[in-house]
Each structure stands twice: as C-alpha cells, then as structure tokens.
Amino acid sequence: MMEPEVEPECRSRRLRAVTRRRYEDDGISDDEIEGKRTFDLDEKLESVTFNATFVRFMEGKDFTFQYVQRDGLRSPLIFKKKDGLGIKMPDPDFSVNDVKMFVGSRRMVDVMDVNTQRGIEMTMAQWVKYYETPAAEREKLYNVISLEFSHTRLENIVQRPATVDLVDWVDNIWPRHLKERQTEATNAIIEMKYPKVRKYCLMSVRGCYTDFHIDFGGTSVWYHIHRGGKIFWLIPPTPLNLEIYESWVLSGKQGDIFLGDKVEKCQRIELKQGYTFLIPSGWIHAVYTPEDTLVFGGNFLHSFNIPTQLRIHSIEDRTRVPSKFRYPFYFEMCWYVIERYVFFLTKSSHLTKQFQRESQLIDEGTESDNTENGDDVKEEDDTDDASDKERIHQSDVMPADRNGLLSDFRGSAGCSLKRSPSSESLDSGAGSVGSQDSPADHWIHLTHFEHVGLQSLLDKLQSLPDHKKCVPSGVQHPDALLSEMQKVLEDHMNDDPKLACSGFPIVRWPKRRDKPKPHRPKYRPPPPPFIRLPLLKPTPGSRRRRTRCKRCASCLRTECGVCHYCRDMKKFGGPGRMKQSCVLRQCEAPILPHTALCMICEEVGQNAEGESNSVRGALMECSACSEIVHPACLKMNISMGIISKELPNCWECPKCVRQERNKLALMKKGLSPKDSGEIARRRYLAELLRKREEQTRRVQAIEAARRRLEILTKRKKFDYLLLRKKRLAAAEHNARKKIKFEREQILLRTKRKAEDSLESPIRPKILRPLRNREDLALAPHPRPGSSKDGLRPGRSERFHRRQLRRCPDPSRAKPASGSGTSHHPRQLSEIEKAKIRGSLLTVRLHRSPGDFNGATAHHRLPNASLRQTPRVVSWQSECQCQRDNPSPSSDTPPEDHMMQRHLWMSVFRYLTQKELCVCMRVCKAWSKWCCDKRLWTKINLSRCKSITPTALGSISKRLPVSLDLSWSNISRKQLTWLINRLPGLKDLFLSGCSWSAISALSTSSCPLLRTLDLRWAEGLRDTQMRDLLCTPDKPGQLDNRSKLRNVTDFRLAGLDISDITLRLIIRHMPLLSRLDLSHCSHLSDHSLNLLTAVGSSTRNSLSELQLEGCNKLTDQCLNYLKRIGNISCINLHNCKQISTGACELLLSELSVNGLFCLSEERQIRKIS
C-alpha cells in the first residue's frame, strides 16, 4: 500500500520540477507570448489570392469637391503624382533628422513594437538614433505612426490636399476660436482645444508590419510617400467584413490568424515613392514596410459617409478601445455639425453669444439693442456673458462636459442672427469656394450622402442617454436644435441630386481679414524702474536726425489726406510702410534732438561755464563736418563761423572755414597736391567760396540800392527805376550783340578755311557760288582798309583777288617756257564747274523763329537720303532751294519746296504725335503742316499733373475730335475756355476729375458730345448729374434741349448715383447705346426695371450694359434684362447675389434671337 502512494508523489514532484525548468530556460515574457506572430508574412507578400481590384488610379486635377459630392469617397484612390492636388511637401532630401530639428529633439513620440504590437515612448533624439542604426544591428523593430506635428515648424512646410481642407470637419465645423487657442504641440488631452489629428508623420524601418485595423472614429486618411515605399492589404467595410473584423479583434488571436484569409475579397497594393493614397472611411487595412520609409498623412471626418463613421465608433465601444487611441471630442464634433447645418439652411444659430462673436463674426447689434430697454436687460446680458465665459474657461471642450455637467438649457427656441457687413464682404473672397460661406437666400440642395448621414447622426444623438450626449458649452438649447434639424431634413427630402453637386461646400466659416493671433494668457510685468535714456554723443562725420520744432505753421497743421505719404498711413487706409509725415507738415525749421551732446564738454545745451541763454551756450551743428559743439568750447575766434539763416543751430564752423581759405590760398600759389581727388575737392571748395562771396556782394548791393530808394522822394524813385531799367536793357542789348558778333566770326572762319583748301581737288567742299569775270570787273573794287560783313581791313581785298585767280580765263594761257611743248589749260571736273557756276545744291533747315529769338541755325538732315558728298545739279535745273532764311514776316510756306504739301502729309500720317512735335522744329513749313487737324484727331493728356495755357492754346489750334483729360488737374476755367473753342469735339474723357472741373459742361456752350466718360469722378452725385443733363433756362434761349442729347456712350462707373440719375438719362439721352454702371453701390433691381420699362428710350437703344460689382443686384434683375431688344453685351462680373445658374437661364432665353456666349466672369456677349 505504501509503494503506490510514494510513486505518485515522486512523479508529481518530477513533473513540477521539469515544468519549472522549461519556463526559466525559454526567457520569453508574457507580452511576447501574447503578441507573437505565427503566420508567415513572406508568404502573404507573394500570395496571388489577394488580387481584388478596389483601388482607383486618378489624376490630381480630377479630385475636386464636386467629385466628393458625386462619389461620397467610397473607393480608395491613388495619385501617382501630386500635381493638381494642392499638396506641399519638403525637399526630396528631407530626412528623419530634419524632422527632429523641426519638432524638437525632446519631443516624446509613441513607438510601436512590431513583434508585440504594443506601444512604448521615446524622445525624438532616441528615435533618430535608432532609425539611423544599420538594419543588421537593430535588435527589435520599432515603428512611429502617431507623431502629430501641428503647431510646430514642420506644419508650415507640409500642406495636405486642397479638397481635404474643404471637407474636413475640423476646419469647417469646429469653432475656430477654440482651434486658435491651441498652443501645445503634443497630443495631451488636457491641453487639447480641438481634435488634433490633421497632420501626422510616420517613420518606419525596413520589415515593420502593422496588423489589420480601422482608423479611429471611422476617419478617412490621406497618405503621401515622401521616401521609401509601402505595401497595403485592403478589405472593404461591408457589414459581413465588419462583423468578421470585430470577432477577430475580440478573439485575441490576431497573431495566429491573417484577416485577409478570412474574408471573401482582399487586395494587395504597393505604393512607391511620390504616391498619394486616400483611404475612405471604415476600410480595414494592414501595412508592411519593405524599406526605410518617411510618410506624411492625416485623418479627417466629413459629411459624405457619416453612417460608416458612426458604425466604426460603435465597434470601438464594443471592442473597448482605449480613449488614447480614439478620435477626441467625437460627440462634441457631432453637435457642432448639426448646429452648422441648421445655421446655413435656416439662418438661425444655436451658439452662445461669445461663440458667435469670436468664430462667426456676428455683430454685437443684439447687445446694443438690448441696452436701450433698460439696465435690467443689460445686467442680465452681462451675467449671461460672464457665465458663458466661465464655462468656456473651465472646459471649452474638455471630457468633463461629456457627463452633461456643463449643459445649460434655457429655452427651446434658437436665437436669430444679424450678419455684419464685414463678414459678408469677407465671405465673398473665398476664392474657389464661391459665395457659399454665408447663409444663402436661395434654396440649398443637399446631396443624398449628406441627407442620409445627417439623419443617422440625428438618430444617434437622440438615442444617447443624457450622461453620454456630451453637449459642448458653445451650443445652447440642444433639444430645440435637434427638433429643428429634424424639420430641415424633412424639408430637404426631395432635393435635386444634380443641383446638389455644385462644387461648393455648404458649411464654411467666414474669412477673416487679419491673421488671428494665438491665444496666450496675458502677463503684466511690474513697471520697470525709471532709467534715463543715454544721450547721443556725436562722432565726426555722422549727421544727427533733427526733430520738429512744433511751433511753425507746418507743424501745427493737420494731415492733408491726399498726398502719397498720407495715403500710405494706416489711419487713411494705407499699409503704413513709408513711415513719412505729410508733405504739408514737413517742418520748416527742424531743431536738434534734446539728447544731442557737445563733442568737447559732453553737456546738453550749455558749456562748462554754465552759459545757456547766449549764442555761445547753444549747441551748433556744422553743415560741413556735422560736428555738434558749443561755440565757446572751440577755443578759437567764433566770428569766423558762418551761421545759416535757414536752419536753427546750424553753421559752418570756424575750423572748416579756415581750412577752405587755406586750401584756396594754396591753389592761388600754384601748389597742387599729388592726389587728383584732392585737387578736385579744392577746386570745388574754391568755386563754392567764390559763389558765396558773389552772392554776398549781390545781397549787399541790393541792400544798398534799397536804402538809397528809401531816402529818395517818390519822383526821384521813379526816375531812378526808369534809368536802371534803361541800363539793364542796354546791357542786355550789348550782350546779344556780342554773342551775334562771335557767331559771325566763327562762321566766317569756317568759310575762309573752305576757300583756302579749294585748290586741293581731293577734298570737295561746299562754297558760296562764284561770280563770272564780267561781274567781278563791273563790281566796284573795295577800298583799302574798308570792312564788309564784319571783315577786318585787307581781308576783302584778298578775297577779291582769290575770286579773280580761280576764275578761268583763256587769254591767260601761255606756252610753257623752257620746253618745246605747249601747255593746254587743265580740264575742270564736274564738281569744280558746279562750284564755279554756283549751282551747288545746299540745304538749310531752320527752326521756328520763336525758338531762338530770331537767330538761325544750320542743321544736317538726319535722314540718309542726302549724301555726304555735294550733289551736282545742272545749270538748267528747275528745282531750286532756298539758300537764306525765309523772311520772319512771311507766314506762308515757300512754293518752290522740294516736296509738295500733299506728299509730306501722306508721310506725316505714319508718325506719332511725339514724332510730329519733333518734325515741327525742322522748318517753318513743317511747323505749319504738322499742325493740321487731320493729324491730331485724338489727343491724350491723361494723368497730366499740370496743364499750362500754352498746352491749351495748342489743343485749340489742332481741333481734336477725341480729347482725354482723365485723372488730370484741369480746372473749370481751363475746361470752359477749351470747350468754347472746340465745337467739333465728339469724345471727352474726364474720369477721375473733380466736379468743380466737370461743371464746365453744364453751360450752354458745351459741344454735342458722342462719348462722355465720368468714371470715378469726385463729388458727382444725383444733384450734380441733374445740373449736367438739364440745360438751364435762359431768357431768349430757343433750344432748351440737353447738350448731351447725342451721347451714345455714357460711362458712370464708381459714382454715388441712384434711380434719380437713371430717370434723367432716360429722359435726356434718347440715342444712348453703351452705359457703364459698374461699382455703383446704390443700384438695385428696381433700377434695371426703370431702364427697361415700357416707353423708356433705353429699352430699344441699349446694346451694351456694364454692371460689374453692383452688389445689390439679384437674380430678379435678369428678368428685366430680357426686355432689351438690341442687347449684345451684359457684364455681371463680381455681382455677389447673382448666381451662375440664373445667368445660364438668361443666356438660353436670349439665344432665341441670336447666338450668345457666357464667359467664366459672368459676361454675356453676342457672337457676331
């Protein structure tokens, strides 16, 4: 009996010992046993069973918001190139080490162990060290898939697809002022103010594997491979597949079962470097990394697959996913989705007042209206605002609100809204988003995906118990919000799916002008102790900036608001970049700053002895060396200094004056320094000193003459002034005579050189024509010593002898002595014969006599048609050229001109007006011909700063048909004088001018214009338009019709006019065909009704109508535009309340009578 009992005991001990020994020898932890993978991953990478085709390949330009409205993001998308997606990525050489520099080396990151699928924490520096370790030396495989880098420097260089920005709830639903308060870069839920899941950085080493999973909250994912590559296994989110996935997760056998083998269809897809991948909501996927990879991506919720998102959230609840790995503020986001859709579909908001002010840009008009009712209402509002602020301060979006402790129900009705003008104007600038930012007046169609999703979201919120509803503090009256949402969904059950795919989002926050500043707690440091500012101790050669005197007239006046400096100021609407004062406020006598010091004694405004009231104690700045000193501190004769009369405390110090005098003395002695720059500087100083002394003498002479005049009597003063005037006239006459004599001397010397070189046959020259020997014999012989034409005595005799010697005389030919041959006279060339005959053609071009006060000048023709060598013309040539200047008294051009007038006019027609002005300076004939009115039909003086009387006289001589005076400074007097002398004027352009000048057209002398341009005129309103269009009644006036009755083109863009002006136009302009009313803010649909009413002249005469930027026009006005019979162009660009669909409807109705087209800028134009 004993033996059977002993054997089991020994056997049991042996078994326990063996079991314990085996456990200790393995050395494997419980975590490793639980997460160890038993299936062969290499087999799954090469298996051909995962060959389903779920993924679509697209181009970036096709992925638009309209595609999302049609498809609902149901299929995975792959973009091989990022062109057209709006993605912004770092440079290709961007590495993990650069990520560490942008997010910080101490940033804690969640790292997943690939073998156990469990997470640990590392610093960014530790992760980079592991990532850069060679693959053979890595003991374990780690993977980073949850580094959210928003609010870091890396955020600025990574931008996700543009369409994702339009559908993401975080950007378009969540209150943006809460998002702007986020300052913490980590994902700590305590510091998180919004769902911070927009941008992730994923860093994986070779061999990493992430098992099948669904992204948290059913979010969709955008995924860009920056470096490396990835392999995905994809399973669609069908109800059966989701049940298999849920059972697989709850079974705890993820390491033993490959989920792709359990489902019916699974696809394996490989992503290469540069690919962009979009995973829709609910898709089950696993990821393998074949090489070291750097990926940028992000998660987002949207309105086109809400049922799947809610189903995934329910699966997370049943599988008990920790809150750290779930979408933050999920149900708070759902409440804001309901509120935003209700607001944009019904124009009623359920946000608190503070949320409306900070996120929705709502005016505080409700508060100002309530204050009028009494102090009680004001106190109640203050308490409400205080309570709202307290709740937001305690927990804006904290999980504590999930328990319903912060929910406050004060009624069942939503509060109505008032949109501020600023928000409306900002909404219109949304770019490609269109004008859908604000609640639209027209009916908004919901897509089928949105309608079904909102209904499921509403059912989900209604089914939640009170302690799980998680109503955020920014939403008030949640029950009323849900009931109102139910009514909205009932109203939108029959929405047109085609009209719903408009390409514009329904929900979007209004745009802001200024970039919001991050919310930081205000820190008020203690007031700093009083510190005396350091005084400016000047250095030689540095000039101090002077300050205002604050006493002159310029300093005391206000800004003009017109000059370019005032327009740059921020208070006048400018950018404030120039930092300059008004032109009219420039100080006349700027003074030295109060911090200026003396360079010698380093005191302010006084010297060592304490003198401060006298001139010796005041600081003086030298205009030459810029030194600031007390005159008494120089220890030299201060009387040598030259004090400036223009600036206070400015002089030329005695040291600089003495240096100038010394240098001038050296130059007078002929002592020149070696340096050429020093010579130039000394010459400049000497010239400056000479001019100063000359100016001093002139001033002294004027002062002496003034003193003498004061002593003389009135009669003697008159005689003295008359005598002085005669002396000045005589001096001027002598100077002109001297200049004329010098010019004649130069001309005569030139002629003498030409005559002396006549004997050389190689250099032909243009000479004055020679007379025959008979004429020379008959001419009186000049007397010795006589002077003719300013020649000195004896010159005329020599000139007469040279003429006789050059004239050919056959009788003087004699046989040569000393030879048996007779010498015949040399045969003259044609050029020499022409010189003797005097028929050499010379051309002189003269300026207008008024340009040189009667003096003439000789010019060469600029064209190459006149050859450089003299041209020989036969003696019988009929074409003669005028050798001398025409008589100043003759106004008519010469009849024997080289070309007739009609030939020159045909040439002048090809020249510009600037070139015609140059041709007018050639000769008197051209000066008159170039003023022909056929060459000056159009004159442009736009943006001319000043129009002189000479210019007005020139315009009146040319009689233009079209005159452009846009944005010029013409006055009423000048315009009145001008239109009285231009009866044939048809087109007048006065855009940008003031009413004071335009009022000249209201007179009876106004010509019958055809085109009148008054765009952006200053001070032109309905009253002024009445004066302009209505002719004033005068006694004896027979014709009371308007002077603008023949106008066919009337431009009134940018004017502050209303329907009164339109009635005047209809009455007084029966021939009007083109009307420009762009940017007239007071025009409405009723205005167009007046223009197209029965019996109005504009209904049949208008052919072109410009209505760009008229914001009060709606789709109703297009029904009135159909009445215009001869319309050919309608411009509706930037009319915010006119839809494209209404324009297309108008286009189809107008196309009955002709062929019209519609451009992208809403411009309807008839195709001829």
Side-chain angles (χ1 to χ4, degrees):
M1 294 294 294
M2 294 296 295
E3 292 178 1
E5 294 178 357
V6 173
E7 288 181 1
E9 183 179 358
C10 296
R11 194 181 301 114
S12 63
R13 290 178 181 175
R14 191 183 304 114
L15 290 175
R16 284 196 298 270
V18 170
T19 303
R20 187 179 299 112
R21 184 171 59 251
R22 289 178 59 190
Y23 179 80
E24 293 174 356
D25 290 343
D26 289 343
I28 303 174
S29 62
D30 295 337
D31 293 342
E32 293 176 339
I33 293 174
E34 181 181 355
K36 190 174 181 180
R37 187 171 58 247
T38 59
F39 57 87
D40 189 5
L41 188 59
D42 295 333
E43 178 187 355
K44 307 303 178 183
L45 291 172
E46 298 176 358
S47 177
V48 295
T49 58
F50 311 113
N51 55 1
T53 56
F54 302 125
V55 179
R56 296 181 184 177
F57 287 87
M58 290 181 61
E59 293 184 3
K61 62 180 181 179
D62 299 329
F63 183 57
T64 60
F65 189 83
Q66 192 172 12
Y67 170 82
V68 177
Q69 290 177 325
R70 291 195 308 266
D71 184 80
L73 286 182
R74 293 299 194 273
S75 302
L77 304 175
I78 291 181
F79 307 90
K80 294 186 178 181
K81 296 181 180 180
K82 63 181 180 179
D83 298 337
L85 285 174
I87 278 183
K88 178 183 177 183
M89 288 294 157
D91 297 332
D93 57 348
F94 193 85
S95 63
V96 177
N97 192 24
D98 297 326
V99 176
K100 181 193 72 172
M101 296 180 63
F102 277 88
V103 302
S105 60
R106 298 183 180 181
R107 171 75 181 269
M108 299 300 297
V109 294
D110 294 327
V111 181
M112 187 180 68
D113 190 347
V114 176
N115 295 326
T116 63
Q117 297 291 309
R118 292 182 178 273
I120 61 174
E121 286 188 352
M122 286 187 183
T123 62
M124 196 64 201
Q126 293 172 345
W127 166 252
V128 173
K129 183 178 180 181
Y130 165 78
Y131 189 91
E132 295 177 349
T133 303
E137 299 178 7
R138 296 171 184 160
E139 298 179 357
K140 293 184 178 182
L141 293 178
Y142 292 117
N143 190 9
V144 174
I145 58 175
S146 59
L147 176 58
E148 216 285 341
F149 56 87
S150 297
H151 303 280
T152 63
R153 291 187 299 166
L154 185 58
E155 181 187 16
N156 300 327
I157 61 176
V158 176
Q159 186 175 352
R160 58 184 185 172
T163 306
V164 175
D165 291 333
L166 298 179
V167 300
D168 189 7
W169 280 358
V170 175
D171 289 343
N172 304 295
I173 300 294
W174 192 264
R176 57 182 175 186
H177 73 279
L178 297 180
K179 181 181 174 183
E180 293 162 3
R181 291 180 182 178
Q182 177 76 30
T183 57
E184 185 64 29
T186 62
N187 275 27
I189 193 67
I190 300 177
E191 301 292 336
M192 196 180 296
K193 301 296 182 183
Y194 72 99
K196 193 167 171 286
V197 295
R198 299 171 64 248
K199 295 181 180 180
Y200 281 96
C201 181
L202 292 78
M203 297 166 283
S204 307
V205 297
R206 179 182 179 182
C208 288
Y209 172 77
T210 305
D211 213 342
F212 285 92
H213 64 280
I214 303 176
D215 287 281
F216 50 83
T219 55
S220 303
V221 180
W222 67 275
Y223 205 85
H224 182 79
I225 310 295
H226 188 67
R227 298 181 68 178
K230 291 281 187 179
I231 297 177
F232 275 74
W233 288 269
L234 300 173
I235 300 174
T238 61
L240 179 59
N241 291 340
L242 291 178
E243 289 180 6
I244 295 173
Y245 170 78
E246 185 176 353
S247 302
W248 176 73
V249 171
L250 294 175
S251 66
K253 299 180 180 180
Q254 291 89 342
D256 300 332
I257 302 173
F258 187 78
L259 188 60
D261 298 333
K262 302 284 290 184
V263 298
E264 181 181 0
K265 292 183 179 181
C266 179
Q267 181 181 1
R268 184 180 65 242
I269 189 71
E270 182 179 359
L271 302 181
K272 300 180 181 179
Q273 181 173 340
Y275 280 22
T276 303
F277 190 30
L278 194 68
I279 306 175
S281 175
W283 279 71
I284 309 166
H285 56 279
V287 189
Y288 177 76
T289 307
E291 55 180 322
D292 294 353
T293 307
L294 177 62
V295 176
F296 295 102
N299 299 65
F300 60 97
L301 292 174
H302 57 88
S303 304
F304 300 92
N305 203 355
I306 297 178
T308 304
Q309 295 170 177
L310 295 176
R311 190 179 299 115
I312 302 304
H313 188 269
S314 301
I315 293 175
E316 291 176 348
D317 289 338
R318 292 192 294 269
T319 55
R320 300 178 182 274
V321 177
S323 59
K324 180 180 180 181
F325 304 107
R326 301 188 67 175
Y327 191 93
F329 314 127
Y330 191 86
F331 284 117
E332 287 87 347
M333 177 66 79
C334 295
W335 281 102
Y336 283 125
V337 170
I338 297 294
E339 196 281 331
R340 290 285 83 200
Y341 270 93
V342 169
F343 172 73
F344 276 85
L345 295 176
T346 64
K347 297 186 180 179
S348 62
S349 176
H350 290 262
L351 295 178
T352 59
K353 294 181 180 179
Q354 181 177 358
F355 276 62
Q356 293 177 18
R357 288 194 298 267
E358 295 184 3
S359 288
Q360 200 166 290
L361 300 180
I362 301 299
D363 273 340
E364 300 180 3
T366 56
E367 294 184 4
S368 62
D369 296 338
N370 293 335
T371 55
E372 299 177 359
N373 298 331
D375 298 334
D376 297 336
V377 180
K378 181 177 181 181
E379 293 176 0
E380 184 179 356
D381 294 341
D382 295 340
T383 56
D384 293 343
D385 295 341
S387 62
D388 292 340
K389 292 179 181 178
E390 182 179 358
R391 286 183 306 200
I392 294 172
H393 179 70
Q394 291 176 358
S395 174
D396 290 336
V397 288
M398 287 298 297
D401 198 18
R402 301 173 185 266
N403 300 326
L405 298 177
L406 300 180
S407 302
D408 186 11
F409 310 108
R410 303 185 204 167
S412 59
C415 59
S416 60
L417 295 180
K418 292 183 179 180
R419 300 285 296 183
S420 64
S422 61
S423 64
E424 292 177 1
S425 62
L426 291 175
D427 293 348
S428 62
S432 62
V433 180
S435 60
Q436 302 291 335
D437 296 346
S438 61
D441 295 334
H442 58 277
W443 186 262
I444 299 177
H445 296 266
L446 295 177
T447 62
H448 174 70
F449 303 113
E450 290 176 292
H451 191 276
V452 174
L454 292 174
Q455 184 64 51
S456 60
L457 183 58
L458 179 63
D459 297 338
K460 180 67 176 179
L461 293 179
Q462 289 177 345
S463 64
L464 291 174
D466 293 338
H467 67 281
K468 290 186 178 180
K469 285 189 175 180
C470 304
V471 181
S473 60
V475 175
Q476 57 184 357
H477 316 306
D479 294 337
L481 175 61
L482 295 178
S483 61
E484 192 169 1
M485 187 68 205
Q486 184 64 46
K487 296 178 182 179
V488 169
L489 293 176
E490 293 175 359
D491 295 339
H492 287 264
M493 288 183 62
N494 300 322
D495 284 354
D496 190 356
K498 294 183 179 180
L499 296 179
C501 299
S502 61
F504 302 110
I506 297 176
V507 179
R508 191 166 180 84
W509 291 109
K511 300 298 180 183
R512 284 178 172 170
R513 292 181 185 271
D514 299 329
K515 185 178 180 181
K517 297 181 180 179
H519 176 75
R520 292 184 175 88
K522 295 183 179 180
Y523 170 72
R524 296 183 178 179
F530 176 77
I531 300 176
R532 186 175 181 181
L533 295 175
L535 298 177
L536 302 176
K537 183 177 180 181
T539 57
S542 61
R543 192 172 185 85
R544 295 287 171 257
R545 182 175 180 179
R546 290 176 170 259
T547 59
R548 289 183 175 274
C549 66
K550 299 182 181 180
R551 289 177 289 182
C552 63
S554 299
C555 291
L556 297 178
R557 67 169 298 158
T558 58
E559 289 86 355
C560 65
V562 179
C563 65
H564 55 285
Y565 291 148
C566 288
R567 292 179 179 176
D568 178 72
M569 297 179 185
K570 289 187 176 181
K571 63 180 179 181
F572 293 110
R577 297 172 184 169
M578 294 185 182
K579 310 295 183 185
Q580 298 291 332
S581 63
C582 176
V583 175
L584 301 181
R585 293 195 71 244
Q586 293 180 358
C587 184
E588 299 174 0
I591 60 176
L592 290 173
H594 65 281
T595 54
L597 290 178
C598 176
M599 290 188 61
I600 300 175
C601 65
E602 298 185 2
E603 292 293 336
V604 182
Q606 60 182 4
N607 62 355
E609 288 80 16
E611 298 178 357
S612 59
N613 298 327
S614 62
V615 179
R616 296 173 58 88
L619 286 176
M620 301 294 289
E621 181 184 18
C622 180
S623 59
C625 61
S626 302
E627 292 183 356
I628 302 176
V629 295
H630 293 114
C633 295
L634 288 177
K635 297 180 180 180
M636 59 187 307
N637 188 10
I638 61 174
S639 61
M640 296 176 59
I642 303 174
I643 298 177
S644 175
K645 296 182 180 179
E646 298 178 356
L647 289 178
N649 300 93
C650 183
W651 71 338
E652 189 173 357
C653 64
K655 181 174 61 176
C656 296
V657 174
R658 185 173 59 184
Q659 290 177 358
E660 289 182 4
R661 292 181 179 177
N662 293 339
K663 293 176 182 178
L664 185 61
L666 289 174
M667 294 181 66
K668 289 182 178 180
K669 294 179 180 179
L671 301 176
S672 60
K674 298 180 180 179
D675 189 9
S676 60
E678 186 67 20
I679 297 174
R681 186 171 179 272
R682 290 188 177 187
R683 290 178 180 175
Y684 170 75
L685 294 176
E687 182 67 17
L688 187 64
L689 188 61
R690 184 189 64 79
K691 290 182 179 180
R692 187 173 298 170
E693 293 177 353
E694 183 179 355
Q695 184 178 3
T696 303
R697 288 195 300 269
R698 189 182 298 111
V699 171
Q700 292 176 356
I702 293 174
E703 291 294 335
R706 187 175 299 170
R707 286 195 297 269
R708 287 196 298 271
L709 278 176
E710 292 176 356
I711 299 174
L712 297 175
T713 59
K714 185 175 181 180
R715 179 63 182 173
K716 291 184 178 181
K717 284 182 180 180
F718 179 76
D719 297 340
Y720 176 77
L721 292 176
L722 185 61
L723 180 60
R724 181 176 177 80
K725 185 176 181 180
K726 291 181 179 179
R727 289 179 179 176
L728 291 176
E732 185 177 0
H733 177 70
N734 294 334
R736 290 181 179 178
K737 192 173 181 180
K738 182 178 179 181
I739 293 172
K740 184 177 180 181
F741 177 76
E742 290 177 354
R743 289 179 179 175
E744 291 177 352
Q745 292 293 326
I746 294 172
L747 184 60
L748 290 176
R749 283 197 295 270
T750 305
K751 289 184 177 182
R752 282 201 305 272
K753 291 180 181 178
E755 292 171 359
D756 294 337
S757 60
L758 181 63
E759 297 178 358
S760 175
I762 301 175
R763 298 176 59 189
K765 293 183 179 293
I766 299 176
L767 299 176
R768 56 191 295 182
L770 297 177
R771 291 175 290 182
N772 296 332
R773 178 170 293 275
E774 292 80 8
D775 299 337
L776 291 173
L778 295 176
H781 188 75
R783 292 172 299 182
S786 64
S787 176
K788 183 180 181 181
D789 295 335
L791 294 175
R792 289 180 294 180
R795 290 292 180 91
S796 180
E797 298 177 6
R798 291 196 299 272
F799 175 73
H800 189 74
R801 288 196 297 270
R802 281 197 298 271
Q803 292 279 357
L804 290 174
R805 186 168 58 250
R806 288 202 304 267
C807 289
D809 187 3
S811 62
R812 294 177 58 183
K814 297 180 180 180
S817 59
S819 63
T821 61
S822 61
H823 179 72
H824 298 282
R826 181 176 61 90
Q827 295 294 332
L828 298 177
S829 63
E830 292 294 331
I831 296 178
E832 293 175 347
K833 292 179 181 179
K835 290 180 182 180
I836 297 172
R837 293 170 182 171
S839 60
L840 190 63
L841 180 63
T842 60
V843 180
R844 293 181 181 178
L845 305 180
H846 307 282
R847 291 181 182 269
S848 177
D851 292 344
F852 292 103
N853 297 325
T856 61
H858 303 279
H859 301 271
R860 296 178 181 176
L861 279 178
N863 299 333
S865 59
L866 293 180
R867 294 169 291 183
Q868 296 179 358
T869 57
R871 183 162 57 96
V872 179
V873 184
S874 62
W875 183 263
Q876 291 83 8
S877 177
E878 296 180 358
C879 180
Q880 300 292 333
C881 183
Q882 186 178 4
R883 295 186 178 92
D884 299 328
N885 293 337
S887 176
S889 60
S890 62
D891 296 333
T892 59
E895 297 180 357
D896 54 351
H897 203 274
M898 293 181 63
M899 291 176 61
Q900 296 300 323
R901 175 174 179 174
H902 66 278
L903 297 177
W904 281 116
M905 291 299 295
S906 62
V907 174
F908 291 153
R909 287 193 181 95
Y910 292 96
L911 303 182
T912 62
Q913 294 182 356
K914 186 175 182 180
E915 293 170 346
L916 286 174
C917 294
V918 176
C919 292
M920 290 175 63
R921 303 172 64 180
V922 173
C923 65
K924 196 169 185 179
W926 283 22
S927 178
K928 186 171 183 178
W929 294 346
C930 290
C931 288
D932 195 289
K933 64 179 183 179
R934 291 173 293 179
L935 304 176
W936 300 86
T937 56
K938 295 181 181 180
I939 295 179
N940 186 2
L941 293 178
S942 59
R943 301 190 179 275
C944 187
K945 295 182 179 180
S946 61
I947 300 178
T948 60
T950 306
L952 293 177
S954 301
I955 294 172
S956 63
K957 291 179 181 178
R958 287 160 176 79
L959 300 175
V961 178
S962 176
L963 181 60
D964 190 355
L965 299 173
S966 302
W967 305 97
S968 61
N969 293 331
I970 191 169
S971 62
R972 172 187 171 87
K973 185 177 180 181
Q974 290 176 328
L975 188 58
T976 304
W977 185 90
L978 197 59
I979 62 176
N980 288 335
R981 289 158 178 80
L982 299 176
L985 185 64
K986 296 298 181 183
D987 302 331
L988 182 59
F989 301 90
L990 296 173
S991 58
C993 297
S994 61
W995 164 246
S996 59
I998 299 174
S999 59
L1001 300 178
S1002 59
T1003 59
S1004 59
S1005 59
C1006 178
L1008 296 177
L1009 297 176
R1010 181 177 54 199
T1011 301
L1012 182 58
D1013 187 358
L1014 302 177
R1015 292 176 296 177
W1016 305 100
E1018 298 179 3
L1020 195 57
R1021 295 180 177 84
D1022 293 332
T1023 307
Q1024 288 76 16
M1025 291 297 298
R1026 186 189 304 274
D1027 298 339
L1028 187 64
L1029 294 175
C1030 300
T1031 304
D1033 295 334
K1034 292 184 179 180
Q1037 186 175 356
L1038 300 178
D1039 190 2
N1040 292 328
R1041 293 179 298 174
S1042 174
K1043 287 294 183 179
L1044 302 179
R1045 60 182 179 271
N1046 291 344
V1047 171
T1048 59
D1049 188 357
F1050 201 24
R1051 304 176 187 179
L1052 302 174
L1055 299 185
D1056 192 10
I1057 58 176
S1058 62
D1059 297 347
I1060 300 174
T1061 301
L1062 297 183
R1063 290 190 181 94
L1064 294 172
I1065 291 174
I1066 295 171
R1067 180 180 177 183
H1068 297 287
M1069 293 185 177
L1071 304 178
L1072 186 64
S1073 62
R1074 297 179 72 250
L1075 182 60
D1076 188 358
L1077 298 175
S1078 303
H1079 302 285
C1080 294
S1081 57
H1082 294 290
L1083 297 184
S1084 60
D1085 297 342
H1086 181 65
S1087 305
L1088 296 185
N1089 188 18
L1090 287 176
L1091 285 175
T1092 60
V1094 178
S1096 61
S1097 59
T1098 53
R1099 179 169 182 170
N1100 299 324
S1101 63
L1102 276 181
S1103 61
E1104 182 176 344
L1105 187 59
Q1106 300 288 335
L1107 298 173
E1108 180 181 355
C1110 297
N1111 297 326
K1112 290 188 177 181
L1113 298 180
T1114 62
D1115 294 343
Q1116 182 65 27
C1117 71
L1118 301 183
N1119 297 328
Y1120 303 139
L1121 296 178
K1122 302 174 188 176
R1123 305 172 183 173
I1124 306 176
N1126 299 325
I1127 193 68
S1128 61
C1129 180
I1130 301 175
N1131 189 1
L1132 299 173
H1133 183 53
N1134 283 339
C1135 294
K1136 302 176 183 178
Q1137 300 188 33
I1138 297 179
S1139 61
T1140 307
C1143 294
E1144 294 176 353
L1145 183 60
L1146 175 63
L1147 179 67
S1148 61
E1149 296 182 2
L1150 290 177
S1151 299
V1152 176
N1153 300 325
L1155 188 58
F1156 287 81
C1157 66
L1158 177 63
S1159 64
E1160 296 180 357
E1161 298 180 350
R1162 298 182 184 179
Q1163 186 173 4
I1164 302 174
R1165 185 175 294 276
K1166 187 174 183 179
I1167 302 176
S1168 57

